[in-house]
Amino acid sequence: MDDASGREDEHSDTGVSDNKPARSRQTYEQQIGNLSFGALKQAQDAVSRKRKRGSDTTADQEDKLVALRDRLRQIKEQKVSKPLEASKTAKKSKLSRQAPSDDSSDGDSASDSDSGPSEEDAPHKSRTSKHAPTAQSTKYQVSRRRQVVDVPKRNIRDPRFDAIHQRAPTGNLDKAYSFLVDYQKDEIKELKAEIKRTKSEEEKDILRRKVNSMENRLKAKAAKEREQEVLRKHRKEEKTKVEQGKTPYYLKKKELKEQALVEKFKGMKSKERQKLIEKRQKKESQKEKKRMPEARRMAVG
């Protein structure tokens, strides 16, 4: 009797011990079902970290991990199935709205239904990993121009515009190209002679304008050369003064123009100088008249 009772007790103990893991597993599954997707993801990451560290996993932890994986798989399947179901329902509603017009349309719809699944019904293709190539549609045509072999580009040089072959003229450029001024003077003489020969007034006006523009250019160039000469002289003088220990003085634009004008008057004859002075005075008086009010201008006139 004692042996029988002992066996019964052992049997009852083993039954209880067998039921315990099943109940605990059911409770785990219920708890996991109530958890959110973010919490499940965090738990899975924590378990994977522990595995990487080399910690020993117990049977309970393995059960939790299996349950987590199952739950994640279910959530993914639900997410994938939802858009597919929505697209199918939308397509069915469209087909129900469109009434068949004739037999030909019925035949076309039947052939379409017999054909394979459309792009909307097709499952969404996702990459296995971020390093995997993306799945691209065959609608896009591949470009025909492709660089298969890298060919070195030929750089064609023009020696006329190359810095290697160009040589800067030694000395002053104005001296090197002073013959151009002589050419311009000869051209002015030829134009003046042509003005005398021509009879039409229109051609004479055109030639006169051309002569005036060329003469003005030569005068402007001469004035610039005078200013440069004055500046050179001033720099030489200041250089000697600096060597003596004095501070240099830099000419202003106004002073430079005045000194250049003085040099111009020195090189002119008395009659030419008088004419130039009268011309300048006349110009200044005209400017003053323009600045005056109309009443005073009439009184002066």
Side-chain angles (χ1 to χ4, degrees), residues 125-146:
K125 292 181 180 179
S126 60
R127 294 192 293 176
T128 53
S129 69
K130 65 179 181 179
H131 303 293
T134 54
Q136 193 175 2
S137 176
T138 54
K139 289 179 183 177
Y140 301 102
Q141 190 177 4
V142 181
S143 61
R144 293 181 182 179
R145 292 182 180 179
R146 283 174 286 177

Side-chain angles (χ1 to χ4, degrees), residues 52-222:
K52 285 178 182 176
R53 287 172 191 165
S55 61
D56 298 330
T57 57
T58 60
D60 294 339
Q61 288 177 350
E62 286 181 0
D63 293 338
K64 285 180 183 179
L65 188 61
V66 170
L68 281 169
R69 284 175 181 168
D70 293 337
R71 179 64 179 160
L72 286 169
R73 200 179 295 110
Q74 287 174 6
I75 291 164
K76 283 182 181 178
E77 287 174 359
Q78 286 175 4
K79 282 187 176 181
V80 171
S81 62
K82 277 179 183 178
L84 291 173
E85 288 174 1
S87 63
K88 283 179 181 178
T89 52
K91 194 173 182 183
K92 283 178 183 177
S93 63
K94 282 181 183 178
L95 289 169
S96 62
R97 285 172 194 168
Q98 292 174 356
S101 59
D102 52 357
D103 297 334
S104 62
S105 63
D106 292 336
D108 294 336
S109 62
S111 63
D112 291 333
S113 62
D114 292 334
S115 62
S118 63
E119 290 180 1
E120 293 177 354
D121 296 337
H124 180 67
K125 292 181 180 179
S126 60
R127 294 192 293 176
T128 53
S129 69
K130 65 179 181 179
H131 303 293
T134 54
Q136 193 175 2
S137 176
T138 54
K139 289 179 183 177
Y140 301 102
Q141 190 177 4
V142 181
S143 61
R144 293 181 182 179
R145 292 182 180 179
R146 283 174 286 177
Q147 193 171 0
V148 181
V149 181
D150 291 331
V151 181
K153 190 179 178 182
R154 287 181 64 193
N155 292 324
I156 298 164
R157 292 189 300 106
D158 194 344
R160 294 174 298 170
F161 306 107
D162 199 350
I164 298 165
H165 299 283
Q166 287 179 0
R167 293 179 183 177
T170 56
N172 197 359
L173 286 169
D174 294 329
K175 287 180 181 178
Y177 294 98
S178 60
F179 60 91
L180 294 173
V181 178
D182 298 331
Y183 287 165
Q184 285 176 351
K185 286 177 181 177
D186 293 337
E187 194 174 352
I188 288 164
K189 285 178 184 177
E190 288 175 4
L191 288 169
K192 283 179 178 178
E194 196 172 347
I195 287 164
K196 289 177 182 178
R197 286 197 299 271
T198 52
K199 293 179 181 179
S200 65
E201 292 295 327
E202 290 180 2
E203 288 181 4
K204 279 183 179 181
D205 290 336
I206 291 163
L207 291 169
R208 280 192 197 111
R209 282 195 216 103
K210 201 171 183 180
V211 168
N212 288 331
S213 67
M214 289 178 80
E215 284 178 348
N216 290 331
R217 255 182 267 158
L218 287 172
K219 284 175 185 176
K221 195 171 184 180

Side-chain angles (χ1 to χ4, degrees), residues 281-295:
Q281 284 176 354
K282 192 178 179 182
K283 198 174 182 181
E284 289 294 328
S285 64
Q286 284 176 356
K287 281 182 182 178
E288 285 177 3
K289 277 183 183 179
K290 282 181 183 178
R291 289 172 196 154
M292 283 182 192
E294 288 184 5

